[in-house]
Each structure stands twice: as C-alpha cells, then as structure tokens.
Amino acid sequence: MPSSVPRLAPRVALATVLLGLAACQGTPQRAAIDVLTPCQGADAPTDALCGRLDVFENRAARAGRRISLKIVVLPALSPDPAPDPLVFLAGGPGQGAAKLARELRELFGRIQADRDIVLVDQRGTGESNPLDCRSDEDSLAALSEPDDVGLQRLKQCLAGYDADPRYYTTTIAMDDLDEVRAHLGYARINIYGGSYGTRAGLVYLRQHGERVRTLVLDGVAPPDMRLPLNFPRDAQRAFDHLLADCAADPACAAKFPHLDDRVRTLFDRLERDPPAVRLVHPRTGMAETVRVDATLVANLVFGALYSPLMSSMVPELLVRAEQGDFQGMLALAMANDGTSSNMSLGMQLSVICAEDAPRIGPGDVERAGFGTVFARRLLTAQLKACDFWPRGEVPADYYAPVVSAVPALLLSGDVDPVTPPSWGEMVSAHLTNATHLTAPFTGHGVMTTGCGERIVRQFITAGSAAGLDTGCLAALRRPPFFLSPAGAEPTRGADASRP
C-alpha cells in the first residue's frame, strides 16, 4: 500500500511573493473557520471544525452529478499558528481521512500545536459519496469466502451506486483537494501521505506543486507501482526478514527450529488438503466450521507483517497451525477488523482498475510471485473484478516519475511487506530536494513510531531536512518474539527445544 533534501526552489519563493501581493491588493484571506462549523456527534473531536464542499463528479465536463466532500479541520492550538496546514492523505486506496480524525489528533498532536490539520474524505470514501461494498455477515465463513461470491456482491454494489466509478481516480481526486484548499483559504499546504496516500501526494505535487511547502511520503507507493502485482515479492521479503530474525534470536531459534522449511511444508499441505476446522469467533463466541486453506493463512500472515508487534506472534501461530490448531490465527484476522470498516472497496477498484490493472499482462502475476509462499494468494480477486469494473481515463504522463524541488521527506520501514525501501529509493531519485530514511525493524508506517513522529515534526516545522536529527532510528528494535501465548517467555515447565 504496498516500505537527499534542503534548498527552497526560487520559483516557489517567487510564487510566495506573488501570493502575498495578491492578498494585499484583494479581499482579506478567508480562514477555515469562516466556511466550517464546530463538529457535532461522534464523527470528529468536539473542538474540530466540520464542513462540506460540493464538486462536480465529472470535473472536466463541469456538469451533471455533484458530490459532497466531507472536510474536518483540527485547528492549531497556538494563538499565532503557521499559515500552512498539514493535509493528511489516507491509504488504501479506499480509506476516508476525515473518519480518522480522532486517531489522527493523537498521532499529529504535536504538529497541531503550531498548524491546522486538514482531513478530507477523498471522493468515494468515508462520507464523500462512498463506494462501499461490505458483507453484512458477521461470520468466520467470510474469511474463506470463494472469489465468485465476493465478485457477485461487487456486481450488486456496482449496480446500486449513485455514481459513475470512472470518475473516482487519483488525478481527479487531487484536483478536488486543491479546490478544498482554496475553499479553506490556504495559500500553501504541507502534505503527509501514508501508503496509497503517497501516490495521491505525488499526483497532487505534479498537478499543483506550486501550492506545496513540504511533502512527507511514508511507505512510498508511486503511480507506477502496479497494485497488487508486487505484493507477493515484497511480502516474501518481509517474511524472510522475520524468519531470519527469529533464527538469529537464540530463544526463538530454539523454540521454532527450521521454521522456513516447515512453513513451506505447511503451505503445501494446506494447498493440497485444506482441513475443515471448528473455530470460535472471538467477537460473537459462536463456533463455526471454517475451511482453512493456504490462501487464508497467507493473507493472515501478510496482514500481520504490516506491524512488527503483530508479526512477533507469527512463528508461534504458524507452529500451532502446523499442529492443526488455527484458533490463534483468528487473532491476526480480527486485528485489522476495525480498518475494514473504513475502507471503500468500490473506490479502491476504481483506482486499481484504471491505474494499475491495465499494466498487468498475462503471466505477470505468476512471474511476480514465483518462488514465494504468497504467490497467487494475495488480492487476486481485485484483478478479476477489473474485468467488469468501469475504467476511468489516466493522463498520458501518469506513470512518468514526478520531478520536483519541493522539500520532501520519504520514509520506509525496512520490514514493510507492501512498500519496502526500494520504492522510496526510486521516487527520491527524481525529487531533487528529498531525503529518504529507512527505519530498521519497522513495518508499514514509520510515523506510527515515536521516532518517526519526532522526525516528521522536525521536518515540517523547519520546512527542510537540513540539520534533521535522525539519531533515534538507530535505537529501533524488533519486538521480542512470542514464545508462547503468554509472550516472550516460554511457558513454565515447557521444553524450549521442542515446538
């Protein structure tokens, strides 16, 4: 989602002067508080400002259906805040940024001390004409739902949308964002994009670069990434790191010897003869029979690799699965349950089917996943859905590298299963004022670490990476592996040499 900086460009400085002259000669600059009202209900913190902006669904035609974009602004706490806010671009694709207001206030709290935090549900997500498509069934059976059942549900959702999915692509959404910027009265903005939000940030930079003061890309997923083609390869890389770190840890190596070979044997067995097992739903307490195949286990492990803390349980849970005990695997399935409630699958398909799938040819999926335990098992239904999903247009230069001198900070987690450091290296090569940092033992999202938060805050405050203190990166460590359900210590009385 798939893991270099100084000097201010002269043209940006000139643009700032011209904007200042225009403000002096024209009407007073509008502030966000002039067009927004205090948020009501549980959708955002009570001290936040909420509002909407209607835009044309078909921006090029400027006619027809209009859609309403949800906006939340977390006002700066300082009585004299910086004029340029931080705009958060959510991941997915399909996640609504405004719906994350409460969580983001905690994550960006120190940045909010000096500047506004702007959150916009991108068209098709959250409360901006969402293209949702969820199963209402709260059942474990959904974990092993056949592709044809999910595809049929997508067709039903598609038929029921009051929307044309062709107009929910990244380039159109970033023009929406610039209209929101102008509506709120900000001359320039700082952008933080995470995962797919890094793609959105790069597209905004290409289309409206004169409005960007700084750019932070956390878990870099550029427009030419071809989602989800490289997921098996990148997930295998993170998984190999996990297995190597376990082998290098005396306690983990003793408890789980030869884990690499055993995992491949487990996947082969589940592929040939998937068992039907009785499992208890952690939330409802209901026992259900679930068919556990290699695809299900691969996706559960893949999800856990996003977080080093979650992945610290993987060796223990895989060995239990080897013995026929899959109950612990449900902890991985339920860990991301809350994320799925803020994920608009239809918008995700509008992005992937227009921007990524057309560049994935016959045999590419097989070649990309060759030799990995994740091959053919990660998000393949998305590509099948693109056979019938309406496909929007993509600009001719969409896949060309984004070139800019705007100060940029790129962050990669060294054990990120979807956006490893190689993607950040590729993008930073074309950003002439960029710094790319790799955080050791860190998964998807460097900002979620205390170290990452401090580095991002320093960078945005200074507007430059010059003098950036990155010393805390060297202190990052992988969380201790779970050696039993109790945690990092083996169960009392157990023989640590036996699985």
Side-chain angles (χ1 to χ4, degrees):
M1 58 95 184
S3 281
S4 357
V5 94
R7 72 181 185 280
L8 179 68
R11 62 187 179 90
V12 176
L14 177 59
T16 303
V17 173
L18 294 176
L19 286 168
L21 290 173
C24 293
Q25 296 171 359
T27 57
Q29 183 174 330
R30 181 169 59 243
I33 196 170
D34 297 328
V35 293
L36 304 176
T37 57
C39 297
Q40 302 293 324
D43 59 344
T46 55
D47 55 350
L49 300 173
C50 288
R52 291 188 170 274
L53 177 66
D54 290 347
V55 296
F56 285 108
E57 185 180 60
N58 184 343
R59 293 189 62 94
R62 299 197 62 79
R65 183 188 292 113
R66 294 177 71 90
I67 57 178
S68 179
L69 304 178
K70 174 66 180 292
I71 304 167
V72 173
V73 173
L74 306 175
L77 303 179
S78 169
D80 184 26
D84 41 81
L86 176 69
V87 176
F88 173 84
L89 300 179
Q95 197 173 45
K99 291 194 71 173
L100 296 170
R102 291 185 180 277
E103 296 91 332
L104 293 176
R105 184 174 66 170
E106 299 300 319
L107 185 62
F108 291 99
R110 294 182 180 179
I111 293 175
Q112 188 190 355
D114 299 315
R115 50 182 30 91
D116 295 349
I117 309 294
V118 177
L119 313 172
V120 182
D121 282 342
Q122 188 168 321
R123 58 167 58 201
T125 75
E127 296 180 33
S128 296
N129 202 34
L131 305 185
D132 293 336
C133 191
R134 302 187 189 96
S135 171
D136 295 328
E137 183 180 9
D138 190 8
S139 167
L140 294 179
L143 294 175
S144 54
E145 180 182 78
D147 282 354
D148 59 346
V149 174
L151 292 172
Q152 183 58 39
R153 183 168 58 250
L154 282 169
K155 290 179 180 178
Q156 293 172 352
C157 290
L158 179 60
Y161 290 145
D162 182 20
D164 186 335
R166 294 177 301 165
Y167 299 117
Y168 289 75
T169 55
T170 308
T171 51
I172 297 173
M174 290 305 98
D175 284 342
D176 285 346
L177 182 63
D178 196 58
E179 191 171 341
V180 170
R181 175 205 58 76
H183 175 67
L184 298 178
Y186 299 115
R188 289 203 298 168
I189 60 176
N190 303 278
I191 290 178
Y192 171 93
S195 194
Y196 162 76
T198 66
R199 173 183 293 194
L202 286 166
V203 170
Y204 185 89
L205 181 65
R206 193 202 306 271
Q207 296 175 185
H208 306 285
E210 73 281 0
R211 299 296 182 181
V212 182
R213 174 179 173 266
T214 64
L215 176 71
V216 178
L217 304 179
D218 191 355
V220 184
D224 63 341
M225 190 179 196
R226 293 195 288 174
L227 300 171
L229 180 65
N230 294 298
F231 281 8
R233 180 200 69 187
D234 293 340
Q236 186 67 48
R237 177 187 176 277
F239 192 45
D240 288 344
H241 273 290
L242 176 73
L243 297 176
D245 290 343
C246 177
D249 179 280
C252 191
K255 182 71 186 293
F256 312 115
H258 313 297
L259 191 55
D260 189 0
D261 293 338
R262 292 164 66 182
V263 165
R264 290 184 179 272
T265 299
L266 171 64
F267 274 84
D268 289 343
R269 175 162 58 86
L270 294 176
E271 185 75 32
R272 293 192 313 270
D273 186 23
V277 298
R278 198 75 174 160
L279 299 173
V280 176
H281 196 302
R283 186 168 50 246
T284 66
M286 299 292 293
E288 304 175 43
T289 299
V290 178
R291 179 177 174 270
V292 180
D293 60 13
T295 295
L296 173 57
V297 174
N299 278 275
L300 294 178
V301 172
F302 176 56
L305 291 172
Y306 276 62
S307 162
L309 181 60
M310 289 296 298
S311 64
S312 67
M313 295 186 285
V314 166
E316 165 75 13
L317 296 179
L318 284 173
V319 168
R320 287 176 172 268
E322 184 183 40
Q323 300 165 351
D325 178 4
F326 296 93
Q327 186 66 50
M329 280 285 174
L330 291 185
L332 303 183
M334 298 297 126
N336 296 317
D337 207 32
T339 303
S340 62
S341 65
N342 183 21
M343 190 66 66
S344 296
L345 185 54
M347 177 273 189
Q348 185 176 96
L349 290 174
S350 289
V351 170
I352 291 176
C353 295
E355 302 173 15
D356 300 272
R359 301 176 67 242
I360 299 176
D364 284 351
V365 173
E366 290 288 333
R367 285 188 290 271
F370 181 76
T372 75
V373 299
F374 300 98
R376 307 180 311 282
R377 293 169 180 149
L378 300 182
L379 305 176
T380 54
Q382 290 178 315
L383 296 180
K384 295 178 183 177
C386 290
D387 290 340
F388 59 82
W389 203 261
R391 181 176 297 176
E393 295 183 1
V394 175
D397 66 345
Y398 186 72
Y399 305 107
V402 176
V403 179
S404 173
V406 167
L409 175 65
L410 283 67
L411 301 172
S412 298
D414 189 42
V415 294
D416 187 334
V418 283
T419 56
S422 56
W423 295 106
E425 293 167 6
M426 290 170 57
V427 171
S428 64
H430 302 279
L431 301 176
T432 59
N433 205 4
T435 292
H436 178 216
L437 302 176
T438 296
F441 306 110
T442 302
H444 194 55
V446 178
M447 177 72 181
T448 58
T449 68
C451 178
E453 186 275 336
R454 289 194 295 275
I455 290 173
V456 169
R457 176 163 45 92
Q458 289 177 48
F459 172 72
I460 293 174
T461 299
S464 166
L468 198 61
D469 182 2
T470 63
C472 60
L473 291 173
L476 293 175
R477 296 290 183 270
R478 183 185 284 278
F481 288 100
F482 275 61
L483 302 180
S484 75
E489 294 298 327
T491 303
R492 186 183 300 274
D495 181 358
S497 67
R498 296 177 61 85

